[in-house]
């Protein structure tokens, strides 16, 4: 599987760097072409000589080596490759990657990379658990970087143990093989256009006030990311959220339900529509041009008019996507209410979730859903929102054939 694959290994300066020598050997045994870049501090742990002997290639390290830049250059080094593997990814190297710092050849190559990147973190368990490292890890994941490990076990420091060890060389090799296996799988939604709505809408009352719905956008964004992973071209129409854009997705930002409606119809045609946004059903019938002042006599009366129903309109339009999926956020009679929406909105599926306050669905990372369709109700176990998204996309892809 790895025969002829070009892998660039970036070796960070950590005590676990010696294990990467074994990774190089095993990747080579499997037919991969391996080149290596050492960070400056990696040279304190392994020598370019050893790495070069194992990889059978020249080893790179300095950004301003005139011969290297002429021969190959850091841009070419990171472009001319199928995969970049960073191991060990120290806390410091992860921090530099997360912030786009290009202060040496290794980090400049990562910033210039066009190839997919897998990192194998390795550090003391306290450094891994530190909020700064966790923040950097989340950022890197949001940038589309994959992780192998870290594993749990004893640390180099005597008497210390926890999560932070470099994964074993064979696990890293297995992770690399799994990456290529997945990359070469025919993508279930290749050539399809998937339209997703996510987040809340906000409906202004005056220049400073608005009404809105509770929604973090996490589930909708996860669906968009899953569709992109499945090879689809994805348009994500999102209300205001504070989470990052999913990788590989084109995002249209809107605020009001009417803007969302316009953006959805402007994005057609689509093969699949997943309407996960928490759209405001109503908007204030009048938007004051100036801030409404607090006056004697109490708060001003507010009256509302109904917003267009994006899902219902889409479900009944001539341009209806082949598959239309709606969400139903309910606090009572979840299944009965969702079944009503399935019919009323002309959807193929309704993903129903119980959003009563004790469930922790809002803003949380997990979701318990039921899937309603013409063929009945499927109850899914409580899953991470990413897993719900993957399953949903898998189900849709299967139905689409
Ligand atoms: N939806 C929409 N446009 C609206 C309202 C809702 O596209 N104006 C979509 C949501 O994105 C979701 C589904 O319709 O996919 C269900 O939304 P929900 O608010 O739960 O249903 P409503 O029809 O508004 O019913 P109710 O508020 O009575 O529960």
């Amino acid at each position: 599987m790895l025969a002829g694959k070009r892998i660039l290994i970036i070796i960070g300066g950590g005590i676990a760097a010696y294990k990467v020598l074994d990774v190089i050997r095993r990747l080579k045994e499997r037919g991969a072409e391996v080149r290596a870049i050492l960070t400056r501090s990696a040279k304190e742990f392994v020598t370019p000589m050893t790495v070069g002997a194992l990889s059978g290639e020249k080893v790179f390290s300095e950004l301003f080596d005139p011969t290297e830049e002429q021969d190959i250059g850091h841009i070419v080094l990171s472009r001319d490759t199928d995969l970049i593997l960073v191991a060990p990814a120290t806390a410091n190297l992860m921090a530099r990657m997360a912030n786009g710092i290009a202060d040496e050849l290794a980090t400049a190559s990562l910033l210039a990379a066009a190839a997919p990147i897998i990192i194998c973190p390795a550090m003391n368990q306290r450094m891994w658990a530190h909020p700064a490292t966790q923040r950097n890890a989340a950022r890197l994941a949001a940038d589309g970087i994959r992780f192998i490990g870290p594993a749990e076990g004893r640390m180099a420091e005597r008497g210390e143990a926890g999560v932070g060890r470099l994964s074993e060389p064979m696990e890293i090799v297995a992770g690399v093989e799994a990456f290529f296996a997945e990359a070469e799988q025919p993508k279930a939604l290749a050539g399809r256009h998937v339209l997703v709505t996510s987040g809340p809408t906000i409906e202004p009352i005056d220049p400073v006030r608005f009404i809105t719905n509770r929604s973090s956008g996490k589930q909708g964004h996860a669906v968009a990311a899953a569709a992109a992973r499945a090879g689809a071209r994805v348009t994500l129409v999102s209300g205001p959220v504070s989470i990052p854009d999913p990788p590989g997705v084109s995002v249209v930002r809107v605020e009001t339900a009417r803007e969302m409606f316009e953006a959805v119809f402007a994005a057609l045609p689509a093969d699949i529509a997943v309407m996960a946004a928490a759209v405001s059903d109503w908007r204030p019938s009048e938007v004051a041009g100036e801030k409404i002042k607090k006056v004697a006599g109490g708060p001003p009366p507010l009256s509302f008019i109904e917003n267009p129903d994006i899902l219902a309109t889409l479900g009944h339009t001539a341009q209806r996507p082949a598959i239309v999926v709606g969400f139903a956020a309910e606090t009572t009679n979840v299944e009965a209410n969702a079944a009503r929406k399935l019919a009323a909105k002309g959807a193929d599926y309704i993903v129903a979730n119980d959003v009563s306050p004790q469930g922790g669905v809002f803003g949380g990372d997990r979701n318990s859903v039921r899937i309603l369709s013409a063929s009945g109700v499927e109850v899914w176990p409580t899953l991470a929102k990413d897993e719900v998204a993957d399953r949903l996309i898998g189900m849709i892809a299967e139905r689409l054939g």
Side-chain angles (χ1 to χ4, degrees):
M1 182 180 296
L2 296 184
K5 292 284 182 289
R6 297 162 308 168
I7 300 172
L8 175 65
I9 297 201
I10 296 190
I11 305 180
I15 190 76
Y18 75 92
K19 285 197 195 171
V20 174
L21 300 176
D22 198 28
V23 174
I24 296 175
R25 188 171 67 84
R26 292 179 186 279
L27 292 174
K28 291 279 295 177
E29 274 171 11
R30 285 162 177 72
E33 288 169 25
V34 181
R35 280 194 297 193
I37 298 179
L38 270 63
T39 64
R40 265 182 230 120
S41 55
K43 287 191 277 186
E44 306 288 332
F45 296 91
V46 288
T47 70
M49 183 85 86
T50 329
V51 174
L54 283 165
S55 67
E57 301 268 352
K58 183 167 161 40
V59 174
F60 303 89
S61 186
E62 299 302 330
L63 185 52
F64 300 112
D65 178 328
T67 55
E68 276 177 17
E69 277 297 309
Q70 268 163 24
D71 282 357
I72 190 148
H74 66 280
I75 302 286
V76 174
L77 210 52
S78 61
R79 288 283 161 83
D80 205 10
T81 184
D82 300 311
L83 173 69
I84 301 179
L85 183 67
V86 184
T90 61
N92 181 286
L93 186 49
M94 283 176 60
R96 285 186 284 163
M97 289 176 73
N99 288 287
I101 294 170
D103 56 348
E104 59 174 308
L105 180 64
T107 47
S109 303
L110 284 162
L111 202 58
I117 301 173
I118 298 180
I119 72 171
C120 309
M123 66 199 73
N124 176 275
Q125 85 278 2
R126 284 180 212 280
M127 293 172 87
W128 173 253
H130 194 284
T133 306
Q134 289 302 308
R135 211 160 44 231
N136 292 332
R139 233 199 246 184
L140 292 169
D143 289 345
I145 288 174
R146 292 151 219 259
F147 286 65
I148 299 175
E152 192 172 355
R154 282 210 320 273
M155 295 288 136
E157 296 79 9
R158 215 175 358 156
E160 296 210 44
V163 176
R165 278 173 65 93
L166 184 72
S167 296
E168 289 306 318
M170 282 314 288
E171 284 171 46
I172 296 176
V173 171
V176 169
E177 284 178 327
F179 161 78
F180 282 113
E182 192 202 308
E184 280 157 25
Q185 275 238 328
K187 300 274 188 189
L189 293 183
R192 306 287 193 177
H193 181 207
V194 178
L195 178 56
V196 181
T197 64
S198 183
T201 65
I202 61 173
E203 311 293 334
I205 296 169
D206 68 17
V208 299
R209 302 183 180 93
F210 58 81
I211 64 158
T212 190
N213 285 12
R214 272 190 205 276
S215 170
S216 65
K218 282 183 180 171
Q219 187 62 77
H221 278 52
V223 170
R229 281 196 296 275
R233 174 167 77 83
V234 182
T235 307
L236 172 63
V237 180
S238 176
V241 294
S242 57
I243 55 174
D245 291 350
V249 162
S250 107
V251 182
V252 183
R253 278 171 240 281
V254 297
E255 292 199 334
T256 66
R258 284 178 297 170
E259 287 168 8
M260 186 171 274
F261 186 96
E262 294 297 323
V264 163
F265 283 85
L268 293 176
D271 302 287
I272 297 161
V274 181
M275 303 286 99
V279 183
S280 293
D281 288 323
W282 316 287
R283 65 176 183 274
S285 21
E286 264 165 61
V287 181
E290 305 293 340
K291 184 181 175 195
I292 302 169
K293 298 304 290 177
K294 186 168 61 186
V295 289
L302 281 180
S303 65
F304 293 93
I305 50 174
E306 209 165 307
N307 269 325
D309 190 316
I310 305 165
L311 173 61
T313 313
L314 195 64
H316 295 106
T317 171
Q319 280 178 289
R320 185 191 192 279
I323 302 221
V324 174
V325 182
F327 274 67
E330 308 290 348
T331 54
T332 49
N333 299 327
V334 178
E335 238 170 72
N337 282 328
R340 214 169 313 126
K341 283 178 192 171
L342 184 68
K345 306 223 182 198
D348 301 291
Y349 297 101
I350 291 284
V351 181
N353 51 4
D354 186 342
V355 292
S356 31
Q358 58 276 16
V361 169
F362 279 134
D365 291 318
R366 297 175 75 73
N367 209 349
S368 310
V369 304
R370 288 148 213 255
I371 310 291
L372 284 85
S373 68
S375 47
V377 184
E378 249 185 67
V379 181
W380 289 2
T382 300
L383 298 166
K385 287 182 176 174
D386 288 340
E387 291 173 89
V388 170
D390 278 326
R391 271 205 188 197
L392 189 64
I393 289 299
M395 186 183 79
I396 293 170
E398 200 170 302
R399 165 101 170 239
L400 211 53

